[in-house]
Amino acid sequence: MKRERALSGKTNTIYDCIVVGFGGVGSAALREAAKHGWSVLGIDRFGPAHDRGSSHGRTRLIRRAYFEHPSYVPLAERAFEMWDELNKRHRTSPKIKELITPTGLLQIGNPDSEVIQGVKRSADQHSLAIEQFNAEEIKRRLPILKVKPHHVGLFEPDAAFLRVEMCVTAMVDQAVKHGAEIVSNTVVQNWNVGDDGICNVATDAGKFQAHRLIIAAGAWNPQLLPDLNLGLKVVQKQQHWFQLDRVDHKIENQFPCFLVEQDNGDCFYGVPEIDYLGLKVCEHTGGKPIAGPSELDRGLDQTALARNEAFMQEHLEHGRRRLVHHSNCMYTMSPDGHFFADYYPGHANVVFAAGLSGHGFKFTPVLGKHLVDLLNGQCEPEFDFLKIAGRV
Ligand SMILES: Cc1cc2nc3c(=O)[nH]c(=O)nc-3n(C[C@H](O)[C@H](O)[C@H](O)COP(=O)(O)OP(=O)(O)OC[C@H]3O[C@@H](n4cnc5c(N)ncnc54)[C@H](O)[C@@H]3O)c2cc1C
């Protein structure tokens, strides 16, 4: 195995594997590939844990009782295990913050809503422990929440949040410790597989070659998977952090993460205050459709802010609030809201993950491993629902 540097195309290393993008999925795939003993190169147009893609904004929720579809539950179980394992490796001193923090998640809505029905379906099918509360019980336990009298709450006690940027950095760090090389600020322009089966990756810093290729370019995937016509649509989302004149929404007061489906189907969620930044509030539905990442606007989006403020007015006893931070991020929606993780058609040595549809971060270690497994010819049936076939 030759391991010379291939920068600027001046040398002719052939890596065992190249990973395009080391954001959420790519950092996990990089780590898996390096752990597997492959010589591996990660290439990213920015760098580890940047704020221009889809894996930033301090926190991501992780939950098991998956309202989107029960097929995700076994993957969520594995994800919890993998985050715990990564956390143990990452947290070498009590001074280092945990990657994963259990808070519980309270999901609220009309008993017939998609969220409540979906959580129940996954919990029933997979015998998951969830507790049900009526509006009065929620009000008694969490006085900050204003709950409609006809709404119910389902509480998943083991749900947690992940510190998203720290997770990405930890996965890149582990990959590098296992021998991965990374190049930042380098844009992959295109790729092909030659007649010799070698993957040729053209970048603005020269050409790289590998026996295998993993494409994990998030919202940029349409540019790198042009022939697939996956029907991906990019939506800009704005997250807001508010300081409040009260303390019960803070993590130290055991405030849980929460998600509310309103009667019109709109969904908003909140994450307790951590690191003195305030309560995080974000809309899961809605958002601003954009043609692609080059249109991502990093300024304050008054429409998104107005929607989050209206949600707070209706569902929180927040009193005086001060907006202290915002962050813009992208959902890359697949047509059915489920991820794609599969072989690139016609190539057993090229795989990709795309269309994580605003709920994929929690699964990134699982998806990273799955992509490496695919390259090893292993395809577990639990991932069949993420294949392209029959969906585009
Ligand atoms: C506001 C918001 C809230 C969310 N909340 C949750 C949540 O609570 N729970 C959850 O599980 N999920 C959540 N998600 C979804 C989740 O964060 C994303 O699905 C996931 O992070 C996407 O990871 P990715 O690897 O596909 O994309 P990214 O992390 O964006 O990674 C793609 C990488 O590819 C690189 N790249 C792109 N093109 C090229 C190129 N040509 N050459 C080199 N590098 C390239 C980019 O620089 C980037 O680093 C949320 C998303 C957002 C935006």
Side-chain angles (χ1 to χ4, degrees), residues 20-26 43-47 50 52-56 59-62 66 164 186-189 216-221 223-224 237-239 269 280 282 327 329-331 353-354 356-364:
V20 180
F22 45 82
V25 180
I43 307 173
D44 198 284
R45 63 166 61 234
F46 298 113
H50 62 84
R52 310 289 176 96
S54 304
S55 301
H56 61 276
T59 54
R60 291 292 185 266
L61 306 185
I62 175 164
Y66 225 69
V164 55
T186 300
V187 179
V188 172
Q189 290 153 336
W220 290 264
N221 269 320
Q223 297 168 15
L224 293 170
K237 296 277 173 170
Q238 188 157 89
Q239 311 166 83
Y269 61 90
K280 173 173 161 178
C282 192
S327 170
C329 195
M330 292 174 285
Y331 279 13
L356 269 60
S357 303
H359 60 108
F361 190 82
K362 64 183 78 58
F363 298 106
T364 51

